[in-house]
Amino acid sequence: RLLGKGAGRLAGKRVLITSGPTHEPIDPVRYIANRSSGKQGTAIAAALLAEGAEVTLITGPTAEPAPPGVKLARVETAREMLAAVEAALPVDAAIFAAAVADWRAAEASVRKLKKDGSGAIPDLKLSENPDILRTICALPPGKRPALVVGFAAETNDVVENATAKRARKGCDWIVANDVSGDVMGGARNRVTLIDGKGVEDWPEAAKDEVARRLANRIADHLAAETAKC
Ligand code: CTP
Ligand code: CA
């Protein structure tokens, strides 16, 4: 469904979405990353565009083409992603679908690390990356987007872990997915939406379909909030 400019339930709403993995350099040829393909985040950006929103897509390195019409920021590291998110504010809603690397090399080497022939293993020290979702949730009212949606990638005790994560991060909704199968990189997804009211299991579907359903939910929510004002 294609809508003209200005049409759609999210017309006039600004939304940002993070997507993909981050790459954290170890040296000029190596990095720390994860299996995120960026498919689900890109599909959500496209679905929000189709609802008429003004969409900023902030993505780590992926092979996914950006949906035409998004404002695109391509980043590599978690710290770059945080800066791009902050630069995209203010927004009405922010969706954090990226699989941000939790750790980076404490100091990336400017030279390629070499084997010295003795079998010695490099002593790679890690630092924790900033938590982008948590940082944005903690912004003061007015600066904090009215709706913040996190994702929770879990391999076990999915609902329990995601419920705790929602509270820890301070986001409004969390979309939990079980990544123990081939979800990362795959075309389908089965998610559970947890908001302040309860837990909703959504049926397994194509990532595009999950995206449309989420965009629809966001449109419902923002319309209800506007009606309250
Ligand atoms: N996230 C983020 N910045 C980070 C880590 C995570 O913005 N440095 C966001 C993700 O985009 C996602 C949510 O936080 O929306 C949860 O990510 P997840 O990796 O599931 O949770 P963590 O808090 O990192 O916990 P853990 O990986 O230990 O389960
Ligand atoms: Ca993590």
Side-chain angles (χ1 to χ4, degrees):
R1 184 169 56 117
L2 280 173
L3 292 169
K5 208 172 169 59
R9 292 198 302 147
L10 287 172
K13 298 292 183 193
R14 290 165 55 96
V15 182
L16 80 75
I17 172 149
T18 69
S19 183
T22 63
H23 285 184
E24 311 294 334
I26 294 170
D27 70 13
V29 299
R30 305 183 178 95
Y31 56 80
I32 298 170
N34 60 64
R35 292 183 187 280
S36 171
S37 64
K39 284 196 176 94
Q40 186 64 79
T42 303
I44 295 166
L48 292 163
L49 269 178
E51 293 275 4
E54 184 187 307
V55 181
T56 302
L57 173 62
I58 298 159
T59 180
T62 72
E64 287 293 299
V70 295
K71 286 191 189 172
L72 181 66
R74 288 195 185 276
V75 300
E76 203 151 310
T77 67
R79 289 182 293 175
E80 289 166 8
M81 188 172 275
L82 173 59
V85 166
E86 287 173 332
L89 298 177
V91 292
D92 299 292
I95 299 137
F96 293 88
V100 182
D102 292 315
W103 302 285
R104 64 175 183 271
E107 274 184 70
S109 173
V110 289
R111 291 192 184 176
K112 183 183 171 190
L113 302 181
K114 303 287 284 180
K115 289 173 289 187
D116 66 6
S118 73
I121 308 287
D123 181 19
L124 189 62
K125 295 229 168 25
L126 301 178
S127 295
E128 191 169 322
N129 269 328
D131 189 321
I132 304 167
L133 172 60
R134 198 170 185 163
T135 304
I136 298 308
C137 287
L139 290 173
K143 281 200 156 180
R144 183 192 186 280
L147 177 65
V148 181
V149 183
F151 271 67
E154 309 291 345
T155 57
N156 55 280
D157 307 312
V158 175
V159 171
E160 293 77 359
N161 283 336
T163 301
K165 204 168 263 181
R166 176 178 171 271
R168 198 162 65 237
K169 305 266 189 177
C171 56
D172 303 298
W173 302 353
I174 205 152
V175 179
N177 57 356
D178 186 336
V179 292
S180 57
D182 60 0
V183 162
M184 285 187 120
R188 296 179 72 78
N189 205 358
R190 197 171 71 81
V191 305
T192 303
L193 181 75
I194 303 168
D195 62 10
K197 297 179 196 132
V199 175
E200 255 179 54
D201 279 317
W202 290 4
E204 193 205 279
K207 285 183 176 174
D208 289 344
E209 184 53 37
V210 173
R212 276 193 289 273
R213 192 163 174 164
L214 185 64
N216 206 38
R217 266 306 265 276
I218 291 169
D220 286 346
H221 180 82
L222 293 184
E225 288 299 301
T226 308
K228 267 192 231 161
C229 298

